[in-house]
Structures are given as structure tokens and as C-alpha cells.
Amino acid sequence: MNWKNKRGKISTFRYIIQLLFFFLIFYLSTIGVWKGVLLLIVFGMTLFLGRFFCGWLCPFGLYMDTITLLRKHLKIPYWSLPQKINHLLHIIRYSVVFMIFLLVLLIFLSSVSFFELSNFIWLRPPFLPYLFFLEPLQTIVLPWKPPFGALFEISGIYFTYPYVGEILMYLQKSWFALPLAVIFVGVTLGASFKVRRFWCRFCPTGISFAAINRVKRFRVLPFLGLSKDGEKCTKCGICKRVCPVQVTEIYEKKTGKIATSMCVLCLRCVEMCPQRNCLSLKLANRVIWNPE
Ligand code: SF4
Ligand code: SF4
Ligand code: SF4
């Protein structure tokens, strides 16, 4: 089976959904939607639907998947990270998230007036560290000047990129703020060309509340996830090779629910598994999709 360059219907469908969400986010950013809503959507969705947001909706994920499409079109092979490093990066992200929460908590505890509390709710200074979590939703073009700056402007259209606003904001007085932002764009796009979903290995927004299911009471969460029928598996290894974030549990698990917070639910493994009904997508223990 030529699994390397084969593109299934589900991958095409997923790409269309990613594009539609990109335009929705662009529209929401033009009408100035409250960013707290977006934060609640991302984290609420992750709690109940696992990392569906990462696989199907995230704009930064769309940029990286587009780079991957280009690489495939050019028939250039990708690199896989060593498994130990891949897992280590996944764990490091939790420390980054912990530090962001700690920072915001410290700022919150040092705030006393209602005015500052409203700043917390509206994600205004000094509570800006929260905005790190929303950076992957940054659309690359904007019809107005972003508050923290942009890479460049052409006829009133501003071009930016995830985290560029943060870099420019925190280093605004430094001469190297813009060069650093450009380097960040170059490195992440360049690396995504060879390492699939490169930034997803570092991204703090992609942390999964699936970890909460280690607590007995919450074991049912997230409701959406993959399942494997071990009796049908021939151990061909295709599932772990096609996985863009190098999840190995899908291959290693003998049977039942695949509970890993690394999985972005892109369903690439499900559509490429050559064994019928071996892998499936389940919602609250009911199969909602497995390939024909
Ligand atoms: S890990 Fe981050 S960049 Fe990757 S898809 Fe999830 S939110 Fe987007
Ligand atoms: S789950 Fe499917 S793709 Fe993965 S090893 Fe088993 S048969 Fe192969
Ligand atoms: S395990 Fe399957 S669904 Fe999860 S990220 Fe990898 S390929 Fe996508």
C-alpha cells in the first residue's frame, strides 16, 4: 500500500474545515470579539473533545499542514524526531503552561482594585501572559494594525504571524525585536517543512486536559477519542508512520481506548490503517466513524 503520499477523503475534509475556521477567526478578529470567549472555546473544547481543536481548527496547525502539503507535492521526505525528544518536548510544554498560570496568578493576587479585576476578565495589561495561549489563532493578514505591531504592511493590509505580536510587545524598545520576529517565522516555517507539525511539539496551547482523566472520577473525559480493535491489527506500523505528531501509542496499545494527550485527532491513522474496522473514532464510547 502506498501510504506515504496517499491522501484520503478525511484529510481533504479536515483541510476544508481548517480553512473555514481560519476565515471565521479572521471575521471574529475584525469585529473585535472578546478574547476570553476564544480562550474558553479552546480549553473547554479540549476538556470534552480532546485535541480536536488542534487537529481540525487551529490556524497555526493549518499553516503547518499547508507547508506539509507543499513538501509532499515536491516529493521531499520528512524527518522524524527521536521518540525520547518528542516525549520530552511534550512534557516541557506542561512546565511552560504551569509558569504562565503561575505568572498570571501572581499578578492577580497582587491586584486589589475592581479596575484590575476587569483587566483580568478583558485580558488587558497586566494580564497579557494569557494571550500566549491565543497566539496560534493569529490570522496572517489583518485589515487593521494589530495592537502589538505587525511584520509589514501593504496598502492598509497588515501581515503578521503567531507570536509575532508577543515578540514585538515584550521587546518593543529593542532594535532586534523585528529581526527576531522574522527569524521566528523563518525557523518555524522552515522546520515545519521537514518536521510535520513542528510547532505543535512546543506549543503551550496544545496542552491537553485529557490528563484530568487520570483522576478516577473524570476518567470518561475527553468524550471524543480513538479506539483500537487489537484482534484486527496486523502490526504493519502504518499508523505510527503517518501520524504527524509521532504518536506511538496507536501502534503499541493492544486494544481499547487510545488515551494519549499527544494525539491531535487528525484521523490520519484511522483513514490509512489497511485493516477494516481496526481503528475507529468514538464519542462517549459510541463509534461515530471508521473507514469503509
Ligand atoms: S499544538 Fe498549538 S499550534 Fe499546534 S494545533 Fe494545537 S494550538 Fe495549534
Ligand atoms: S492499527 Fe492498523 S495501521 Fe496500525 S499497525 Fe495495526 S493494522 Fe497497521
Ligand atoms: S494518533 Fe492518529 S489521530 Fe492521533 S494525531 Fe496521530 S495520526 Fe492523528
Side-chain angles (χ1 to χ4, degrees), residues 93-222:
R93 294 188 311 170
Y94 283 89
S95 324
V96 176
V97 171
F98 177 74
M99 282 192 289
I100 294 174
F101 275 129
L102 191 66
L103 193 58
V104 174
L105 184 69
L106 289 176
I107 296 170
F108 188 78
L109 290 178
S110 63
S111 308
V112 282
S113 71
F114 177 76
F115 176 73
E116 282 163 334
L117 184 65
S118 73
N119 283 344
F120 173 74
I121 292 168
W122 291 102
L123 302 174
R124 285 196 298 243
F127 300 104
L128 294 178
Y130 263 145
L131 293 180
F132 265 113
F133 292 122
L134 283 176
E135 277 306 303
L137 279 76
Q138 180 67 63
T139 52
I140 44 182
V141 284
L142 283 172
W144 43 270
K145 190 174 183 186
F148 306 135
L151 286 169
F152 57 93
E153 181 233 334
I154 301 175
S155 310
I157 300 291
Y158 291 85
F159 291 80
T160 183
Y161 186 80
Y163 302 99
V164 158
E166 310 293 289
I167 295 171
L168 297 179
M169 176 183 68
Y170 286 110
L171 301 174
Q172 55 183 311
K173 295 212 168 77
S174 313
W175 62 267
F176 56 86
L178 190 58
L180 191 67
V182 172
I183 290 171
F184 179 78
V185 175
V187 167
T188 50
L189 286 183
S192 300
F193 195 74
K194 287 302 279 181
V195 178
R196 297 162 297 170
R197 287 282 184 130
F198 174 73
W199 186 252
C200 295
R201 327 280 177 125
F202 301 88
C203 175
T205 311
I207 66 150
S208 175
F209 281 86
I212 204 171
N213 69 7
R214 303 231 168 105
V215 182
K216 207 172 174 188
R217 172 182 285 233
F218 297 109
R219 208 154 275 171
V220 66
L221 294 173

Side-chain angles (χ1 to χ4, degrees), residues 1 3 10 20 22 26-27 37 45 99 140 170 278-279:
M1 182 182 189
W3 51 267
I10 201 76
L20 290 176
F22 172 84
F26 175 78
Y27 172 70
V37 168
M45 194 179 270
M99 282 192 289
I140 44 182
Y170 286 110
C278 178
L279 297 177

Side-chain angles (χ1 to χ4, degrees), residues 51 53-54 58 60 64 136 197 199-200 203 205-206:
R51 293 181 62 193
F53 173 83
C54 289
C58 175
F60 203 175
M64 287 182 276
R197 287 282 184 130
W199 186 252
C200 295
C203 175
T205 311

